[in-house]
Amino acid sequence: MSATIGSDPPFAELDDMSAAAYRQAVQLGRFNRHEIAQQLRISPEEAARIERVLGLLCLLHPTPGDADLLVPVSPDAAAVELVGSAENQIRDLQHAVTEVRAQMLSLTPAYYDGRRERNRMEAFDVVSDVATVQSLLDELSERCRSEVLTVQPGGARPAHILSAARKVSLGILDRGVRMRTVYQHSARTDLATRSFVRELIEHGGELRTSEEVIDRMIIYDREVVFLPEHKPVGREPGAAIVREPTLVAFLCSVFEHLWRGATPFHLGSIESDPVTDDLKRSIVRLMAEGYKDEMVARRLGMSVRTCRRHIAEIMEELEATSRFQAGANAALSKLLSYPQDTV
């Protein structure tokens, strides 16, 4: 009797009375219901049931030439007949499983090699932990070989940040790595930033400023780009790390576009800085577009107080008593016109 793999096998269960009947049949050399019923003191119906059970278990076989005469079969022979087909199926399945496993395991080196390569070239990796981001920045600053490109929005930077940036930046420049940075125009009015910039320029750094810039961006060797994580809730932003070559090349092009349109950082007196007119144009343009003082200040990377001081100076210079009049007078005086860029 065969069994189907994956379903309950149709094997009968050997109960105590059937086992006792089998022992009697072995002693008698045959299975006779009447004799078994007498020996075990059971009913003919029970004897008939036991005969069916022993038959299903292949423990009884009809005698050749006399189908009515049932004789007991050894348990070993019965087991072979009963489960032999199922065992063959199990062996076949075990062999198939072994072959499949061997084939799959042969692909393991390719899988891990591919994973390492994919991880190296992964398009994005968002790191939310600020300490981890700083650790990655420090590592890449030490490992960079040819160039660091940076965009720093927001105007003047806090003194403690400048102090930390000074050590890292000078270390990069002293290794002969080219460093170019774009600030916003408003950074020119901060004495601490100007001192920092002067030191970088003396060590070979290149710095320019622009009216408005994109978000903060740091590019190492045109291979890895750090961008700020987008507006996380309830914590400081981490960073999105970009390694995919096409995206990195695009972001490098964005930097070069900003660089070409930016003005070299002038280290003369603040009052003589030619960027003053650029700031005035930017403020008047944003005012004309309907931006409030707070938004103008944010766009140009300066404090609201500084922005309002510039607005007051502009309105006095244009002899205007309202923002509308300031815009009209600025247009007439060609303050809104940009000179030809010669950088």
Side-chain angles (χ1 to χ4, degrees):
M1 177 178 293
S2 64
T4 302
I5 300 300
S7 61
D8 293 330
F11 300 148
E13 183 176 354
L14 182 66
D15 55 274
D16 291 342
M17 190 58 70
S18 296
Y22 174 75
R23 285 193 292 270
Q24 289 295 325
V26 171
Q27 291 175 6
L28 295 171
R30 63 186 180 275
F31 185 92
N32 182 283
R33 293 183 190 175
H34 179 70
E35 292 176 343
I36 292 297
Q38 284 186 331
Q39 291 288 337
L40 299 179
R41 299 178 182 179
I42 57 176
S43 66
E45 293 78 9
E46 179 66 2
R49 183 193 70 79
I50 290 173
E51 181 181 324
R52 288 193 300 274
V53 170
L54 296 178
L56 289 172
L57 293 174
C58 300
L59 289 168
L60 296 177
H61 271 199
T63 303
D66 186 357
D68 293 332
L69 179 60
L70 300 175
V71 295
V73 178
S74 71
D76 291 341
V80 170
E81 183 179 358
L82 186 65
V83 302
S85 177
E87 286 180 334
N88 289 336
Q89 291 184 54
I90 290 171
R91 279 194 296 270
D92 291 341
L93 282 173
Q94 287 176 332
H95 179 69
V97 167
T98 300
E99 286 190 343
V100 169
R101 180 173 283 112
Q103 292 174 358
M104 295 300 102
L105 290 177
S106 70
L107 296 174
T108 300
Y111 172 79
Y112 285 107
D113 288 344
R115 278 291 301 272
R116 281 192 293 270
E117 181 66 13
R118 189 187 73 186
N119 289 340
R120 188 179 70 83
M121 300 299 293
E122 195 74 59
F124 293 101
D125 187 12
V126 178
V127 179
S128 299
D129 182 67
V130 177
T132 302
V133 172
Q134 187 59 55
S135 177
L136 291 171
L137 289 169
D138 293 341
E139 179 184 354
L140 285 170
S141 295
E142 293 178 0
R143 287 170 43 196
C144 63
R145 306 177 303 277
S146 58
E147 188 176 38
V148 178
L149 310 175
T150 308
V151 178
Q152 295 288 358
R157 302 169 72 189
H160 70 281
I161 292 181
L162 286 179
S163 177
R166 176 179 285 103
K167 180 180 179 181
V168 174
S169 299
L170 293 180
I172 291 173
L173 291 169
D174 288 344
R175 295 202 314 271
V177 176
R178 186 184 186 190
M179 175 178 279
R180 289 187 287 163
T181 302
V182 179
Y183 285 102
Q184 285 189 265
H185 285 332
S186 52
R188 294 172 177 261
T189 61
D190 180 67
L191 293 178
T193 302
R194 292 173 68 86
S195 174
F196 171 69
V197 168
R198 178 177 286 104
E199 194 168 359
L200 293 190
I201 291 176
E202 290 172 353
H203 284 75
E206 302 171 63
L207 297 99
R208 295 185 179 184
T209 62
S210 183
E211 171 189 335
E212 293 184 68
V213 299
I214 58 174
D215 250 332
R216 180 167 283 106
M217 179 169 68
I218 306 175
I219 304 174
Y220 292 97
D221 290 335
R222 297 181 179 263
E223 293 177 353
V224 183
V225 183
F226 280 72
L227 300 172
E229 185 182 12
H230 182 66
K231 296 179 180 178
V233 178
R235 60 176 175 80
E236 290 186 61
I241 305 171
V242 182
R243 299 185 181 89
E244 201 284 318
T246 302
L247 292 174
V248 171
F250 171 77
L251 292 170
C252 289
S253 298
V254 171
F255 177 87
E256 295 295 350
H257 176 75
L258 288 172
W259 183 259
R260 287 191 298 270
T263 305
F265 207 116
H266 180 66
L267 288 175
S269 65
I270 296 175
E271 291 75 13
S272 63
D273 199 322
V275 170
T276 303
D277 287 341
D278 285 346
L279 278 174
K280 290 179 180 179
R281 278 190 290 269
S282 301
I283 292 171
V284 173
R285 178 177 57 80
L286 292 173
M287 287 170 56
E289 292 175 5
Y291 288 103
K292 301 296 185 183
D293 295 354
E294 292 79 6
M295 185 56 68
V296 172
R298 185 181 306 171
R299 291 282 295 270
L300 299 180
M302 63 179 67
S303 68
V304 176
R305 181 179 178 181
T306 301
C307 179
R308 286 173 175 162
R309 189 184 74 244
H310 283 308
I311 291 174
E313 292 172 355
I314 290 168
M315 294 186 68
E316 181 179 355
E317 181 181 340
L318 294 173
E319 299 180 352
T321 58
S322 68
R323 292 188 176 213
F324 176 80
Q325 186 180 9
N329 291 352
L332 291 173
S333 66
K334 298 184 179 181
L335 180 60
L336 292 176
S337 300
Y338 283 83
Q340 181 67 30
D341 186 12
T342 59
V343 178

